[in-house]
Amino acid sequence: YRERRVDTLLAALDPYIRRDSSGRPRIDEHHRLILDPSVKGAVHVQNAETHTHGVGAPDLGLAAWRSAVILNALTGKTVYALPQRTAFTTFGLEPRPQPRPQTAIGSENRHTIPRQLPVH
């Protein structure tokens, strides 16, 4: 896999594309290019936003999720409901209630070190 720059494809729009301080196209959370306000339409990109959306941008496993984000933005409604929280890994750790430290009257303020959760 070799990433190709989108500059050639978007050359006609270049004067209208807003860029960051490094000269890269600005892209919003809906995978939409930030364009000059005079442009009435929108341009959505996929796999061209690593600099704004992180290393998962070219991940084909996220293509369905990105497509749903774009479709919801295009239609202005929730065609595909997307989870607000996607992290579900717990690594087998269960949080345990921590006892409140007891302080004697007149004792100095002492910092307690919280107990660590057991690793199974």
Side-chain angles (χ1 to χ4, degrees):
Y1 175 79
R2 183 173 49 103
E3 185 176 346
R4 291 190 263 167
R5 297 176 55 93
V6 296
D7 295 342
T8 304
L9 177 64
L10 301 174
L13 288 175
D14 192 60
Y16 304 102
I17 297 173
R18 296 296 172 244
R19 299 186 179 271
D20 65 15
S21 60
S22 296
R24 301 170 299 196
R26 290 178 46 211
I27 302 168
D28 72 10
E29 69 275 9
H30 302 290
H31 304 273
R32 195 172 29 213
L33 288 173
I34 305 294
L35 300 172
D36 185 89
S38 66
V39 176
K40 299 298 180 210
V43 177
H44 292 266
V45 295
Q46 287 200 37
N47 305 334
E49 67 281 13
T50 302
H51 63 284
T52 56
H53 289 64
V55 296
D59 184 347
L60 295 177
L62 295 173
W65 180 83
R66 282 190 304 267
S67 296
V69 169
I70 292 170
L71 182 62
N72 289 346
L74 286 171
T75 61
K77 61 184 180 181
T78 303
V79 177
Y80 289 103
L82 296 168
Q84 295 299 312
R85 181 178 173 176
T86 58
F88 59 87
T89 305
T90 62
F91 299 102
L93 299 177
E94 296 294 327
R96 294 187 180 181
Q98 300 293 317
R100 298 194 79 158
Q102 301 280 331
T103 55
I105 298 174
S107 67
E108 301 173 7
N109 287 334
R110 295 183 186 167
H111 296 285
T112 58
I113 299 173
R115 293 185 354 211
Q116 292 186 351
L117 295 174
V119 177
H120 300 286

